[in-house]
Structures are given as C-alpha cells and as structure tokens.
C-alpha cells in the first residue's frame, strides 16, 4: 500500500493532467452530444466538420510546432536567453501563419473543392461561410500551444491544462446560440473559444516572466530550425493522412463525414491517458537529452512503452465489445437516429483497433524528435500516408465507408514497429 501511495505522489502531476484532460474531453463530449442532437449527420454538420478539418491541414503545418520549442528552450535557458528564444520562435511562427491565412482567403473555393470533392453546392456554401472564422480560431490555437508549452517548461503543467477547459465551455454555449439564433455561431464559437484561451495563456505567461520582444535573432532561429523543419513536414503529412478519410467520405452518402468525426471524438477520449502522460513526459525527456543523460532517457521510454501496453489493450477490448452501447449513451438522441447510431458504432470499432498503436507511435515519435531524428519520422509519415491511401482505395471499394477507419488503424500498426526498431538503434548508439 505504501509503494502504491509513493507512486501516486511521484506521478501526481501526470495524474492531475490526465484528470484535467479527461474533464476537457468530457466537455468535448457534451459539445458533440449537443451537436449531434441538433444537427445529427446533416449538411450543416458535414460542412462544419469539414471547415474545421481544412485549416488543420493548411494551418496545421505549425499546430504542433511547440514540440520543436521545448528542447531549444532548455538550451537557451542555460544561456539566460529564454525571452529572446521564445519571442523569436513566436515571431517566426506568426509570419508563417500570416502567409497561410492569405492562402486560405484567396484560394478558398479551390481548397474546399480539393478537400471535399464530393460536396454539393449547398455543402460548399456552408463550408465557405464557416471557414474563415474557424481558420482564425485555429491560428489562435497554434499560438496558444506554444505559450502552453512555455508554461510546461516552467513546470506549470496543471494551470495551462485548466486554462484549456475554457474552449469547450464556450463552444457548448455557442452551439445553443447557433441552433436558436443563427447557425453561423458554430464557427463564431470556435473563434471566440480559442481567442479566450489565448488571452488567458498570455496573462499566465506574463506572470511567469515572459517578456515579448519584436525580434528574429539568427542564433535562436538556428537553434530550433533543425527540429522545427521535420516537425513541420511530418505535421503536414499527418494532417493529410487524417484528411484522406474525409475526402473519401465526402464521395459517399451525406452524413458519412460527420459519422467519422463522431467516431473519432470517442476514439480521442480513449487516448486521454497517453496524451496526458506524453504532455508531461516530453519536456522531461527533452531535458534529459540536453543534459546527455541517455541512460535515464532510455529507461523512461522503456517504462512508458510497457505502461501504454498495459493500459490500452484492456481499453481496446472493452470498447470493441461495447461500441454500440457507448455510442448510444453518448449520441443517441434528437437528430441522431438509429441509422447514425449503427454507422458510428461500426466506425468506432475500426478506429479502436489502432489506439494502442497510436499511443506507442506517439511515444517513439517524441523520443526521436528529442534525438534529432525528425527526418526518419518524416519518411515514416510518408510511408503511413501511402499505406493509408492504398488501403482506403482497396477497402472503400470492398466494404464501403467502414474501410476508411479500418485503413487508418491498419496503417498505424504497419509503421509503428519501424519507429520502435529505429529508436532502439539510435539510443544504443548514444549510450
């Protein structure tokens, strides 16, 4: 009993972060319950889901750039240059975001037609109305991610995670406004939620002595460029990979885009433990890498691997066995009818097959980023996209929309062993 208590104390921050992530996902569930209740698998729902997915592909190139921020922060900390480094990083990202939003504004219709080739004129019209506010909201989210990582580097894991709860609270409120007043509040709510989150994080960072400067210093740019470029490229590839299902789904019946999104939302909840664990883990292993303490680095990754296996295999079995009951409990009300229930539950089963693989993959990707092996991650990401496309084509023809989530899960399991083997080779060389 004492040993269990000691372990709980040791992992206190991780446990609290996981609990907060669970609360955030629970609020996200509530949001999607109301979205499903009021809009089901309709044209508006499809258009809204697609309008969120599009900027995740274009702006998403820098959505996960905070992973490049962390290691450079610890290096700059030794030189007492954390403010210069953070400001340079933010300014560089802001320049990229400005260019990306201009691309979306000027080529909106072309982008929608590429991402949703099966959408009819009505769906394109709704997607176009939603796109700009959601894109701006996504930009706010990118900047917020970097500021949240700054707080985590300052050991403020919990407070940054508490701030994140505001996003779903605001979006839930605006779904009601959308239904009772004007459907455009779906996109306005996304924008308002992410703006509020950004404002809160700015205030928290100022309290943690962040002093923003309008600078672009070459020394700091070179510090993170080696890590940043691979993360940019792998992020693009990952976002393209997640979009492939929706492109295929847009060519299927109305509502399939929403069906995949609803199933994905439940799948994401199962990944809370891994997400919370990796949120706390990444700054720690980055610091070990900067300190060249590779024996401890290896031991942390090894323990994390077995922890993921022990947690996610039972979760996989449970969700496959009770997928229909889970979907029914979460979504089955209002406009979400029996047909939506059956389609979403079968898609959920297919997605759940891959959750253990996703958790292991993300662990080793973060480890390889720390070891500055981002080029290999890019190669694996490209292979994953190629496999996903090939499997989508084959399975979509044979079993329809059910083949799309199955292809995603199979692609993850095919590439994950390659990441694990390459990591072992790299870490053994360092030791």
């Amino acid at each position: 009993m004492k040993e269990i208590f000691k372990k709980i104390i040791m992992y206190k921050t991780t446990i609290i972060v996981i609990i907060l992530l669970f609360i955030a996902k629970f609020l996200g569930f509530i949001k999607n319950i109301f979205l499903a209740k009021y809009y089901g698998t309709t044209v508006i729902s499809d258009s809204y889901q697609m309008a969120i997915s599009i900027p995740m592909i274009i702006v998403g190139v820098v959505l996960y750039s905070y992973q490049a921020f962390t290691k450079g922060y610890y290096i700059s900390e030794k030189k007492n240059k954390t403010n210069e480094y953070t400001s340079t990083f933010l300014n560089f990202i802001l320049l990229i975001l400005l260019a990306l939003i201009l691309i979306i504004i000027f080529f909106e219709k072309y982008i929608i037609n590429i991402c949703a080739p099966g959408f009819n004129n009505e769906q394109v019209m709704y997607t176009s109305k939603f796109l700009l506010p959601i894109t701006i909201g996504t930009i706010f989210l990118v900047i917020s991610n970097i500021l949240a990582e700054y707080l985590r580097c300052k050991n403020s894991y919990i407070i940054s995670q508490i701030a994140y709860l505001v996003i779903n609270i605001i979006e839930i409120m605006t779904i009601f406004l959308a239904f009772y007043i004007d459907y455009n509040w779906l996109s306005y709510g996304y924008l308002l939620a992410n703006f509020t989150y950004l404002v809160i994080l700015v205030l928290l960072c100022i309290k943690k002595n962040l002093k923003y400067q309008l600078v672009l210093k070459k020394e700091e740019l070179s510090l993170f460029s080696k890590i940043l470029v691979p993360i940019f490229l792998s992020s693009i590839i990952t976002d393209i990979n997640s979009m492939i299902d929706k492109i295929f789904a847009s060519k299927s019946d109305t509502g399939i885009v929403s069906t995949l999104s609803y199933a994905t939302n439940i799948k994401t909840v199962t990944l809370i433990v891994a997400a919370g664990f990796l949120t706390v883990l990444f700054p720690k292993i980055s610091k070990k890498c900067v300190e060249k303490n590779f024996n401890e680095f290896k031991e942390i990754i090894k323990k994390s691997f077995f922890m993921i296996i022990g947690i996610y295999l039972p979760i996989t079995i449970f969700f496959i066995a009770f997928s229909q009951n889970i979907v029914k409990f979460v979504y089955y009300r209002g406009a979400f009818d029996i047909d939506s229930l059956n389609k979403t539950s079968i898609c959920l089963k297919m997605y759940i097959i891959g959750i253990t693989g996703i958790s292991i993959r993300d662990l080793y990707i973060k480890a390889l980023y720390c070891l500055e092996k981002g080029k290999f991650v890019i190669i694996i990401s490209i292979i994953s996209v190629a496999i996903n496309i090939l499997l989508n084509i084959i399975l979509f023809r044979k079993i329809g929309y059910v083949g799309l989530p199955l292809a995603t899960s199979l692609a993850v399991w095919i590439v994950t062993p390659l990441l694990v083997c390459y990591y072992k080779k790299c870490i053994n060389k360092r030791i």
Side-chain angles (χ1 to χ4, degrees), residues 367-420:
L368 288 169
Y369 279 149
C370 289
L371 296 170
E372 295 183 12
K373 297 296 179 182
K375 287 181 182 177
F376 184 77
V377 174
I378 293 168
I379 293 167
I380 291 296
S381 299
I382 292 169
I383 292 170
S384 180
V385 170
I387 293 169
N388 194 22
I389 291 171
L390 181 62
L391 290 174
N392 268 324
I393 292 168
I394 295 168
L395 295 174
F396 188 62
R397 285 176 181 172
K398 287 189 175 293
I399 55 176
Y401 68 89
V402 178
L404 303 179
L406 178 59
T408 301
S409 295
L410 292 176
V412 169
W413 276 115
I414 291 168
V415 300
T416 297
L418 300 176
L419 285 166
V420 176

Short mmCIF file of all heavy atoms in Angstrom, two decimals, residues 367-420:
data_model
loop_
_atom_site.label_atom_id
_atom_site.label_comp_id
_atom_site.label_asym_id
_atom_site.label_seq_id
_atom_site.Cartn_x
_atom_site.Cartn_y
_atom_site.Cartn_z
N ALA A 367 10.30 10.65 -28.77
CA ALA A 367 11.66 10.24 -28.43
C ALA A 367 12.62 10.55 -29.58
O ALA A 367 13.73 11.07 -29.36
CB ALA A 367 11.69 8.75 -28.10
N LEU A 368 12.20 10.27 -30.81
CA LEU A 368 13.05 10.54 -31.98
C LEU A 368 13.22 12.03 -32.24
O LEU A 368 14.29 12.47 -32.68
CB LEU A 368 12.48 9.83 -33.21
CG LEU A 368 12.62 8.30 -33.21
CD1 LEU A 368 11.78 7.68 -34.32
CD2 LEU A 368 14.07 7.89 -33.34
N TYR A 369 12.19 12.84 -31.96
CA TYR A 369 12.34 14.29 -32.06
C TYR A 369 13.42 14.78 -31.10
O TYR A 369 14.26 15.61 -31.46
CB TYR A 369 11.02 15.00 -31.73
CG TYR A 369 10.02 15.04 -32.86
CD1 TYR A 369 8.64 15.05 -32.60
CD2 TYR A 369 10.42 15.08 -34.19
CE1 TYR A 369 7.72 15.08 -33.63
CE2 TYR A 369 9.50 15.12 -35.23
CZ TYR A 369 8.15 15.12 -34.94
OH TYR A 369 7.23 15.17 -35.96
N CYS A 370 13.41 14.26 -29.88
CA CYS A 370 14.42 14.66 -28.89
C CYS A 370 15.83 14.27 -29.35
O CYS A 370 16.79 14.99 -29.09
CB CYS A 370 14.14 13.99 -27.55
SG CYS A 370 12.70 14.65 -26.71
N LEU A 371 15.92 13.13 -30.03
CA LEU A 371 17.22 12.66 -30.52
C LEU A 371 17.59 13.27 -31.87
O LEU A 371 18.58 12.86 -32.49
CB LEU A 371 17.19 11.12 -30.64
CG LEU A 371 17.00 10.35 -29.33
CD1 LEU A 371 16.75 8.88 -29.61
CD2 LEU A 371 18.19 10.53 -28.41
N GLU A 372 16.78 14.25 -32.31
CA GLU A 372 17.00 14.97 -33.59
C GLU A 372 17.01 14.02 -34.78
O GLU A 372 17.82 14.13 -35.70
CB GLU A 372 18.30 15.78 -33.53
CG GLU A 372 18.25 16.90 -32.49
CD GLU A 372 19.51 17.76 -32.47
OE1 GLU A 372 20.33 17.64 -33.41
OE2 GLU A 372 19.67 18.54 -31.53
N LYS A 373 16.06 13.08 -34.77
CA LYS A 373 15.90 12.14 -35.87
C LYS A 373 14.57 12.38 -36.58
O LYS A 373 13.86 11.45 -36.93
CB LYS A 373 15.98 10.70 -35.34
CG LYS A 373 17.32 10.33 -34.73
CD LYS A 373 18.45 10.38 -35.75
CE LYS A 373 19.79 10.03 -35.12
NZ LYS A 373 20.88 10.12 -36.11
N GLY A 374 14.25 13.66 -36.76
CA GLY A 374 12.98 14.04 -37.38
C GLY A 374 12.86 13.60 -38.82
O GLY A 374 11.75 13.37 -39.32
N LYS A 375 14.00 13.48 -39.52
CA LYS A 375 13.96 13.07 -40.94
C LYS A 375 13.35 11.67 -41.08
O LYS A 375 12.59 11.41 -42.01
CB LYS A 375 15.37 13.09 -41.53
CG LYS A 375 15.91 14.49 -41.78
CD LYS A 375 17.29 14.44 -42.39
CE LYS A 375 17.84 15.86 -42.58
NZ LYS A 375 19.21 15.85 -43.13
N PHE A 376 13.72 10.79 -40.14
CA PHE A 376 13.17 9.43 -40.19
C PHE A 376 11.66 9.45 -39.92
O PHE A 376 10.91 8.70 -40.54
CB PHE A 376 13.87 8.53 -39.18
CG PHE A 376 13.42 7.09 -39.26
CD1 PHE A 376 13.88 6.26 -40.26
CD2 PHE A 376 12.52 6.58 -38.33
CE1 PHE A 376 13.46 4.94 -40.34
CE2 PHE A 376 12.09 5.27 -38.40
CZ PHE A 376 12.56 4.44 -39.41
N VAL A 377 11.24 10.33 -39.00
CA VAL A 377 9.80 10.47 -38.70
C VAL A 377 9.05 10.91 -39.96
O VAL A 377 7.95 10.42 -40.24
CB VAL A 377 9.57 11.48 -37.56
CG1 VAL A 377 8.08 11.73 -37.35
CG2 VAL A 377 10.21 10.99 -36.26
N ILE A 378 9.66 11.81 -40.73
CA ILE A 378 9.04 12.27 -41.99
C ILE A 378 8.88 11.10 -42.96
O ILE A 378 7.82 10.92 -43.58
CB ILE A 378 9.88 13.39 -42.64
CG1 ILE A 378 9.85 14.64 -41.77
CG2 ILE A 378 9.35 13.72 -44.04
CD1 ILE A 378 10.87 15.69 -42.18
N ILE A 379 9.94 10.31 -43.09
CA ILE A 379 9.90 9.16 -44.01
C ILE A 379 8.79 8.19 -43.59
O ILE A 379 8.00 7.73 -44.42
CB ILE A 379 11.27 8.43 -44.02
CG1 ILE A 379 12.33 9.33 -44.66
CG2 ILE A 379 11.17 7.11 -44.78
CD1 ILE A 379 13.76 8.86 -44.45
N ILE A 380 8.71 7.91 -42.29
CA ILE A 380 7.68 7.01 -41.78
C ILE A 380 6.28 7.59 -42.01
O ILE A 380 5.34 6.88 -42.35
CB ILE A 380 7.90 6.73 -40.27
CG1 ILE A 380 9.14 5.88 -40.06
CG2 ILE A 380 6.68 6.05 -39.65
CD1 ILE A 380 9.07 4.49 -40.67
N SER A 381 6.15 8.92 -41.82
CA SER A 381 4.86 9.59 -42.04
C SER A 381 4.42 9.46 -43.50
O SER A 381 3.25 9.22 -43.78
CB SER A 381 4.96 11.06 -41.64
OG SER A 381 5.28 11.19 -40.28
N ILE A 382 5.37 9.61 -44.42
CA ILE A 382 5.06 9.48 -45.85
C ILE A 382 4.63 8.04 -46.16
O ILE A 382 3.65 7.81 -46.90
CB ILE A 382 6.28 9.88 -46.71
CG1 ILE A 382 6.55 11.38 -46.58
CG2 ILE A 382 6.05 9.51 -48.18
CD1 ILE A 382 7.87 11.83 -47.16
N ILE A 383 5.35 7.09 -45.60
CA ILE A 383 5.00 5.67 -45.79
C ILE A 383 3.59 5.40 -45.25
O ILE A 383 2.79 4.71 -45.89
CB ILE A 383 6.03 4.75 -45.10
CG1 ILE A 383 7.38 4.84 -45.82
CG2 ILE A 383 5.54 3.29 -45.08
CD1 ILE A 383 8.53 4.17 -45.07
N SER A 384 3.29 5.99 -44.07
CA SER A 384 1.98 5.81 -43.45
C SER A 384 0.86 6.35 -44.33
O SER A 384 -0.19 5.71 -44.49
CB SER A 384 1.95 6.50 -42.09
OG SER A 384 0.70 6.35 -41.48
N VAL A 385 1.08 7.54 -44.93
CA VAL A 385 0.08 8.13 -45.83
C VAL A 385 -0.13 7.23 -47.05
O VAL A 385 -1.26 6.97 -47.46
CB VAL A 385 0.51 9.55 -46.27
CG1 VAL A 385 -0.39 10.05 -47.39
CG2 VAL A 385 0.44 10.51 -45.10
N ALA A 386 0.98 6.75 -47.63
CA ALA A 386 0.90 5.90 -48.81
C ALA A 386 0.11 4.62 -48.52
O ALA A 386 -0.75 4.21 -49.31
CB ALA A 386 2.30 5.56 -49.30
N ILE A 387 0.40 4.02 -47.36
CA ILE A 387 -0.30 2.79 -46.96
C ILE A 387 -1.78 3.08 -46.72
O ILE A 387 -2.66 2.32 -47.15
CB ILE A 387 0.34 2.19 -45.69
CG1 ILE A 387 1.74 1.67 -46.00
CG2 ILE A 387 -0.53 1.04 -45.13
CD1 ILE A 387 2.56 1.31 -44.77
N ASN A 388 -2.06 4.22 -46.05
CA ASN A 388 -3.45 4.60 -45.76
C ASN A 388 -4.24 4.81 -47.04
O ASN A 388 -5.39 4.35 -47.16
CB ASN A 388 -3.48 5.86 -44.89
CG ASN A 388 -4.84 6.11 -44.28
OD1 ASN A 388 -5.66 5.21 -44.14
ND2 ASN A 388 -5.10 7.35 -43.91
N ILE A 389 -3.65 5.51 -48.01
CA ILE A 389 -4.33 5.76 -49.29
C ILE A 389 -4.61 4.43 -50.00
O ILE A 389 -5.71 4.19 -50.50
CB ILE A 389 -3.49 6.68 -50.19
CG1 ILE A 389 -3.44 8.10 -49.60
CG2 ILE A 389 -4.07 6.74 -51.61
CD1 ILE A 389 -2.47 9.03 -50.30
N LEU A 390 -3.58 3.57 -50.06
CA LEU A 390 -3.73 2.27 -50.73
C LEU A 390 -4.83 1.44 -50.07
O LEU A 390 -5.70 0.89 -50.76
CB LEU A 390 -2.40 1.52 -50.69
CG LEU A 390 -2.37 0.15 -51.38
CD1 LEU A 390 -2.66 0.29 -52.87
CD2 LEU A 390 -1.03 -0.52 -51.16
N LEU A 391 -4.80 1.37 -48.74
CA LEU A 391 -5.81 0.61 -48.01
C LEU A 391 -7.20 1.23 -48.14
O LEU A 391 -8.20 0.52 -48.22
CB LEU A 391 -5.43 0.49 -46.54
CG LEU A 391 -4.22 -0.42 -46.22
CD1 LEU A 391 -3.85 -0.32 -44.75
CD2 LEU A 391 -4.51 -1.87 -46.60
N ASN A 392 -7.26 2.57 -48.16
CA ASN A 392 -8.55 3.26 -48.36
C ASN A 392 -9.17 2.87 -49.70
O ASN A 392 -10.37 2.59 -49.78
CB ASN A 392 -8.36 4.78 -48.31
CG ASN A 392 -8.55 5.34 -46.92
OD1 ASN A 392 -9.38 4.87 -46.17
ND2 ASN A 392 -7.80 6.35 -46.57
N ILE A 393 -8.34 2.90 -50.74
CA ILE A 393 -8.85 2.56 -52.08
C ILE A 393 -9.37 1.12 -52.10
O ILE A 393 -10.47 0.84 -52.59
CB ILE A 393 -7.74 2.74 -53.15
CG1 ILE A 393 -7.39 4.23 -53.28
CG2 ILE A 393 -8.18 2.18 -54.49
CD1 ILE A 393 -6.13 4.50 -54.07
N ILE A 394 -8.58 0.20 -51.56
CA ILE A 394 -8.95 -1.22 -51.58
C ILE A 394 -10.19 -1.48 -50.72
O ILE A 394 -11.17 -2.08 -51.17
CB ILE A 394 -7.77 -2.09 -51.09
CG1 ILE A 394 -6.60 -1.99 -52.07
CG2 ILE A 394 -8.21 -3.56 -50.93
CD1 ILE A 394 -5.29 -2.57 -51.54
N LEU A 395 -10.14 -1.01 -49.46
CA LEU A 395 -11.21 -1.32 -48.51
C LEU A 395 -12.50 -0.54 -48.80
O LEU A 395 -13.59 -1.05 -48.55
CB LEU A 395 -10.73 -1.05 -47.08
CG LEU A 395 -9.58 -1.96 -46.60
CD1 LEU A 395 -9.07 -1.51 -45.23
CD2 LEU A 395 -10.02 -3.41 -46.54
N PHE A 396 -12.37 0.71 -49.29
CA PHE A 396 -13.55 1.51 -49.62
C PHE A 396 -14.36 0.83 -50.73
O PHE A 396 -15.59 0.83 -50.72
CB PHE A 396 -13.13 2.92 -50.02
CG PHE A 396 -14.28 3.88 -50.21
CD1 PHE A 396 -15.12 4.20 -49.16
CD2 PHE A 396 -14.52 4.47 -51.46
CE1 PHE A 396 -16.18 5.09 -49.33
CE2 PHE A 396 -15.58 5.36 -51.63
CZ PHE A 396 -16.40 5.67 -50.57
N ARG A 397 -13.64 0.25 -51.70
CA ARG A 397 -14.31 -0.46 -52.79
C ARG A 397 -14.98 -1.75 -52.31
O ARG A 397 -16.05 -2.12 -52.77
CB ARG A 397 -13.30 -0.80 -53.90
CG ARG A 397 -12.89 0.39 -54.74
CD ARG A 397 -11.83 0.01 -55.74
NE ARG A 397 -11.42 1.15 -56.55
CZ ARG A 397 -10.38 1.12 -57.40
NH1 ARG A 397 -9.69 0.01 -57.55
NH2 ARG A 397 -10.06 2.20 -58.10
N LYS A 398 -14.34 -2.42 -51.34
CA LYS A 398 -14.84 -3.72 -50.90
C LYS A 398 -15.92 -3.62 -49.83
O LYS A 398 -16.93 -4.33 -49.89
CB LYS A 398 -13.67 -4.57 -50.38
CG LYS A 398 -12.76 -5.07 -51.50
CD LYS A 398 -11.76 -6.08 -50.97
CE LYS A 398 -10.94 -6.68 -52.10
NZ LYS A 398 -11.70 -7.53 -53.01
N ILE A 399 -15.72 -2.74 -48.82
CA ILE A 399 -16.67 -2.69 -47.69
C ILE A 399 -17.23 -1.28 -47.42
O ILE A 399 -17.83 -1.03 -46.38
CB ILE A 399 -16.04 -3.27 -46.40
CG1 ILE A 399 -14.72 -2.55 -46.05
CG2 ILE A 399 -15.83 -4.76 -46.52
CD1 ILE A 399 -14.11 -3.02 -44.73
N GLY A 400 -17.01 -0.36 -48.37
CA GLY A 400 -17.59 0.97 -48.24
C GLY A 400 -16.91 1.83 -47.18
O GLY A 400 -15.73 1.65 -46.88
N TYR A 401 -17.68 2.74 -46.58
CA TYR A 401 -17.14 3.71 -45.61
C TYR A 401 -16.48 3.05 -44.40
O TYR A 401 -15.59 3.63 -43.77
CB TYR A 401 -18.24 4.66 -45.15
CG TYR A 401 -19.31 4.03 -44.29
CD1 TYR A 401 -19.19 3.96 -42.91
CD2 TYR A 401 -20.46 3.46 -44.87
CE1 TYR A 401 -20.16 3.35 -42.12
CE2 TYR A 401 -21.41 2.85 -44.10
CZ TYR A 401 -21.27 2.80 -42.72
OH TYR A 401 -22.23 2.18 -41.95
N VAL A 402 -16.89 1.82 -44.05
CA VAL A 402 -16.30 1.10 -42.90
C VAL A 402 -14.81 0.85 -43.12
O VAL A 402 -14.01 0.79 -42.17
CB VAL A 402 -17.03 -0.24 -42.67
CG1 VAL A 402 -16.40 -1.02 -41.52
CG2 VAL A 402 -18.50 0.00 -42.39
N GLY A 403 -14.41 0.75 -44.38
CA GLY A 403 -13.00 0.51 -44.71
C GLY A 403 -12.10 1.69 -44.40
O GLY A 403 -10.88 1.52 -44.24
N LEU A 404 -12.66 2.90 -44.30
CA LEU A 404 -11.85 4.11 -44.08
C LEU A 404 -11.21 4.12 -42.70
O LEU A 404 -9.99 4.28 -42.59
CB LEU A 404 -12.69 5.36 -44.33
CG LEU A 404 -13.35 5.47 -45.72
CD1 LEU A 404 -14.18 6.75 -45.83
CD2 LEU A 404 -12.30 5.43 -46.82
N PRO A 405 -11.98 3.97 -41.61
CA PRO A 405 -11.33 3.92 -40.30
C PRO A 405 -10.46 2.67 -40.10
O PRO A 405 -9.45 2.72 -39.41
CB PRO A 405 -12.50 3.94 -39.31
CG PRO A 405 -13.69 3.49 -40.08
CD PRO A 405 -13.46 3.96 -41.49
N LEU A 406 -10.86 1.57 -40.73
CA LEU A 406 -10.06 0.35 -40.64
C LEU A 406 -8.69 0.56 -41.29
O LEU A 406 -7.65 0.15 -40.75
CB LEU A 406 -10.79 -0.83 -41.30
CG LEU A 406 -10.04 -2.17 -41.31
CD1 LEU A 406 -9.71 -2.63 -39.88
CD2 LEU A 406 -10.85 -3.24 -42.04
N ALA A 407 -8.68 1.23 -42.44
CA ALA A 407 -7.42 1.53 -43.14
C ALA A 407 -6.50 2.38 -42.27
O ALA A 407 -5.29 2.15 -42.21
CB ALA A 407 -7.71 2.24 -44.46
N THR A 408 -7.08 3.36 -41.58
CA THR A 408 -6.31 4.24 -40.69
C THR A 408 -5.63 3.43 -39.59
O THR A 408 -4.44 3.62 -39.30
CB THR A 408 -7.23 5.30 -40.06
OG1 THR A 408 -7.84 6.07 -41.11
CG2 THR A 408 -6.46 6.24 -39.14
N SER A 409 -6.38 2.53 -38.97
CA SER A 409 -5.84 1.71 -37.87
C SER A 409 -4.75 0.75 -38.37
O SER A 409 -3.70 0.60 -37.73
CB SER A 409 -6.96 0.91 -37.20
OG SER A 409 -7.88 1.77 -36.57
N LEU A 410 -4.99 0.12 -39.50
CA LEU A 410 -4.00 -0.83 -40.05
C LEU A 410 -2.71 -0.12 -40.43
O LEU A 410 -1.61 -0.65 -40.20
CB LEU A 410 -4.59 -1.57 -41.25
CG LEU A 410 -5.75 -2.54 -40.97
CD1 LEU A 410 -6.29 -3.12 -42.27
CD2 LEU A 410 -5.32 -3.65 -40.02
N ALA A 411 -2.83 1.07 -40.99
CA ALA A 411 -1.65 1.85 -41.40
C ALA A 411 -0.77 2.17 -40.19
O ALA A 411 0.47 2.11 -40.27
CB ALA A 411 -2.07 3.13 -42.10
N VAL A 412 -1.40 2.51 -39.07
CA VAL A 412 -0.65 2.81 -37.83
C VAL A 412 0.13 1.58 -37.37
O VAL A 412 1.32 1.67 -37.04
CB VAL A 412 -1.62 3.27 -36.70
CG1 VAL A 412 -0.89 3.31 -35.36
CG2 VAL A 412 -2.19 4.63 -37.02
N TRP A 413 -0.53 0.42 -37.37
CA TRP A 413 0.13 -0.80 -36.89
C TRP A 413 1.25 -1.26 -37.82
O TRP A 413 2.20 -1.93 -37.38
CB TRP A 413 -0.89 -1.92 -36.72
CG TRP A 413 -1.60 -1.87 -35.41
CD1 TRP A 413 -2.93 -1.63 -35.19
CD2 TRP A 413 -1.01 -2.04 -34.12
NE1 TRP A 413 -3.21 -1.65 -33.85
CE2 TRP A 413 -2.05 -1.89 -33.15
CE3 TRP A 413 0.27 -2.28 -33.65
CZ2 TRP A 413 -1.83 -2.00 -31.79
CZ3 TRP A 413 0.50 -2.38 -32.29
CH2 TRP A 413 -0.54 -2.25 -31.37
N ILE A 414 1.17 -0.91 -39.08
CA ILE A 414 2.23 -1.31 -40.03
C ILE A 414 3.50 -0.49 -39.81
O ILE A 414 4.61 -1.02 -39.85
CB ILE A 414 1.73 -1.17 -41.49
CG1 ILE A 414 0.67 -2.25 -41.78
CG2 ILE A 414 2.89 -1.32 -42.48
CD1 ILE A 414 -0.11 -2.05 -43.06
N VAL A 415 3.36 0.83 -39.53
CA VAL A 415 4.55 1.70 -39.44
C VAL A 415 5.14 1.79 -38.03
O VAL A 415 6.33 2.09 -37.89
CB VAL A 415 4.23 3.13 -39.94
CG1 VAL A 415 3.79 3.11 -41.39
CG2 VAL A 415 3.20 3.83 -39.06
N THR A 416 4.34 1.52 -36.99
CA THR A 416 4.83 1.66 -35.61
C THR A 416 6.06 0.79 -35.31
O THR A 416 7.02 1.28 -34.70
CB THR A 416 3.70 1.37 -34.60
OG1 THR A 416 2.67 2.36 -34.78
CG2 THR A 416 4.20 1.46 -33.16
N PRO A 417 6.10 -0.49 -35.72
CA PRO A 417 7.30 -1.30 -35.46
C PRO A 417 8.57 -0.70 -36.07
O PRO A 417 9.67 -0.86 -35.52
CB PRO A 417 6.96 -2.66 -36.10
CG PRO A 417 5.47 -2.71 -36.09
CD PRO A 417 5.03 -1.31 -36.31
N LEU A 418 8.44 -0.01 -37.21
CA LEU A 418 9.60 0.61 -37.85
C LEU A 418 10.17 1.72 -36.96
O LEU A 418 11.39 1.87 -36.83
CB LEU A 418 9.21 1.19 -39.22
CG LEU A 418 8.66 0.19 -40.25
CD1 LEU A 418 8.22 0.92 -41.51
CD2 LEU A 418 9.72 -0.85 -40.59
N LEU A 419 9.28 2.50 -36.34
CA LEU A 419 9.71 3.57 -35.43
C LEU A 419 10.43 2.99 -34.21
O LEU A 419 11.48 3.51 -33.79
CB LEU A 419 8.50 4.38 -34.96
CG LEU A 419 7.89 5.37 -35.95
CD1 LEU A 419 6.52 5.82 -35.46
CD2 LEU A 419 8.79 6.57 -36.15
N VAL A 420 9.87 1.92 -33.63
CA VAL A 420 10.45 1.31 -32.43
C VAL A 420 11.85 0.77 -32.73
O VAL A 420 12.79 1.02 -31.97
CB VAL A 420 9.54 0.17 -31.91
CG1 VAL A 420 10.19 -0.53 -30.72
CG2 VAL A 420 8.17 0.72 -31.51
#
